[in-house]
Amino acid sequence: MSFRALVIRKAANGGLTSCVESVEDAELPPGNVLVGIEWSGFNYKDALCLTGRGNLVKAYPHVAGIDFAGRVLESTDDRYRSGQAVILTGWRVGETRWGGFAQRARVEADWLVPLPRQMSTRDAMVLGTAGLTAMLAINRLKSDGLATAGGPVLVTGAGGGVGSLAVLLLARLGYAAVAVSGRAALHDRLRALGAADVVQREAVITRSGKGLDKEQWAGAIDNVGGEMLAELLKKMKRDGAVAAVGNAGGVVFEGSVLPFILRGVTLFGVDSVMQPYEARVGAWDRLSTLFTASYASWVEEVKLAELPAVAERILAGGVAGRVIVDPRAA
């Protein structure tokens, strides 16, 4: 059978083109589960794949899309049956093998998780990799001892998908989330999501020239990296913890050891790509009880053919919240 997909091709001059094409099932990569995709999410990494930046895609033609939700069409694995709703995030799908910007995908059963019964496939992709990452970061902070009464929790890059969902989830769990965003137009919207306070990025990133600054936050979820991460570490409370989840501001940072040896601050990373099955299922079950319709205004729906333009917008910082893709829409 044939289906529609956004196919990236590489020209002889090295340039990339992305067009919606008709693709045959036989062209899909091997795998033991065939999924009919109902929704896919659009992420910063997807924009890199579509534009060729970051050199993530090694072989063409290619179908990007690092996450999707849909229903099983065929399965040779006993864990999944025809018609069952499933979610896929990570495992480098959409990077090293064809992903979710299509009406069908063939993948390994080990990469899937069942869709929670309370959740629609659309809601699963409103959350997508961003929501899963935010939930994993919060779970890690909680396991490190972060309590709701311990003090405010900083969220950098709060206007993006991970950041905005982290603000929502923290607020739902009773934490005082402090959102960092350089986009003043988003401040009221972040407060409506549940942010206890919203600050400009200069309040965090401005250098004092000291090894330690005034203690302000008990925890932090950092989507930015770079200089932002270096400066917020200096402002953490004693025994505070920081979850590093992104690098929009750079992959290198110059910091001080003083927050670690004088205040006992912990810095850990959250990798959503290779998370084990149990951690994924636990996170998705928790998300199904915390996600609310209050996030609706942060969601933009697009079609496959619109994705190249959306890629340029997201790389330029022009997207707030989440973009989701309906591959069935003409």
Side-chain angles (χ1 to χ4, degrees):
M1 293 184 64
S2 63
F3 58 91
R4 297 170 67 250
L6 182 70
V7 181
I8 310 170
R9 296 188 181 275
K10 193 168 190 176
N13 64 2
L16 300 182
T17 60
S18 299
C19 296
V20 178
E21 301 180 10
S22 179
V23 178
E24 300 294 325
D25 278 2
E27 298 178 64
L28 288 169
N32 52 17
V33 183
L34 179 66
V35 180
I37 299 173
E38 297 179 358
W39 292 94
S40 182
F42 192 78
N43 304 274
Y44 189 86
K45 190 179 288 185
D46 294 316
L48 295 176
C49 291
L50 285 177
T51 59
R53 304 178 200 179
N55 198 31
L56 298 177
V57 179
K58 308 299 184 184
Y60 297 91
H62 182 69
V63 176
I66 68 169
D67 52 21
F68 61 78
R71 298 185 185 277
V72 174
L73 299 174
E74 300 173 2
S75 175
T76 58
D77 188 288
D78 292 340
R79 288 171 289 179
Y80 295 102
R81 66 186 184 280
S82 179
Q84 184 174 359
V86 292
I87 305 169
L88 183 141
T89 63
W91 301 109
R92 302 203 69 191
V93 170
E95 298 176 64
T96 61
R97 61 180 288 140
W98 287 15
F101 294 159
Q103 293 176 315
R104 293 187 174 206
R106 185 178 286 120
V107 297
E108 299 297 333
D110 289 343
W111 303 339
L112 299 169
V113 296
L115 180 80
R117 280 182 291 180
Q118 311 97 303
M119 186 179 287
S120 69
T121 53
R122 184 184 185 278
D123 283 347
M125 282 302 101
V126 170
L127 289 158
T129 295
L132 176 65
T133 301
M135 193 75 255
L136 291 170
I138 293 170
N139 288 345
R140 187 68 183 270
L141 289 171
K142 290 178 68 177
S143 70
D144 195 69
L146 181 66
T148 54
V153 181
L154 191 75
V155 180
T156 67
V162 179
S164 57
L165 286 165
V167 168
L168 172 67
L169 296 171
L170 285 166
R172 292 274 290 159
L173 288 166
Y175 291 94
V178 177
V180 181
S181 176
R183 292 183 271 182
L186 297 180
H187 288 194
D188 287 343
R189 294 175 63 189
L190 287 164
R191 290 188 179 92
L193 274 185
D197 194 11
V198 184
V199 299
Q200 293 282 355
R201 60 168 64 98
E202 288 75 18
V204 182
I205 205 170
T206 300
R207 294 185 179 185
S208 67
K210 303 176 183 177
L212 288 173
D213 293 331
K214 179 183 177 182
E215 297 182 35
Q216 298 185 53
W217 305 297
I221 298 175
D222 177 47
N223 293 281
V224 178
E227 188 177 3
M228 178 73 78
L229 178 57
E231 293 304 314
L232 74 85
L233 284 166
K234 300 176 185 179
K235 300 172 176 63
M236 298 302 297
K237 288 178 174 286
R238 182 171 299 279
D239 295 323
V242 178
V245 303
N247 61 352
V251 298
V252 177
F253 70 97
E254 293 184 9
S256 167
V257 299
L258 296 184
F260 306 111
I261 64 176
L262 295 184
R263 289 184 183 164
V265 173
T266 299
L267 171 64
F268 51 79
V270 175
D271 170 30
S272 65
V273 176
M274 307 302 288
Q275 282 287 319
Y277 179 82
E278 293 77 12
R280 291 172 185 268
V281 170
W284 279 109
D285 284 346
R286 195 75 180 101
L287 284 167
S288 71
T289 68
L290 293 172
F291 186 61
T292 72
S294 63
Y295 195 73
S297 66
W298 289 81
V299 182
E300 177 185 355
E301 288 186 19
V302 300
K303 303 174 184 178
L304 289 175
E306 298 173 289
L307 290 179
V310 177
E312 296 298 337
R313 279 203 289 129
I314 199 170
L315 291 175
V319 172
R322 289 285 289 157
V323 176
I324 58 174
V325 188
D326 181 357
R328 301 161 295 179

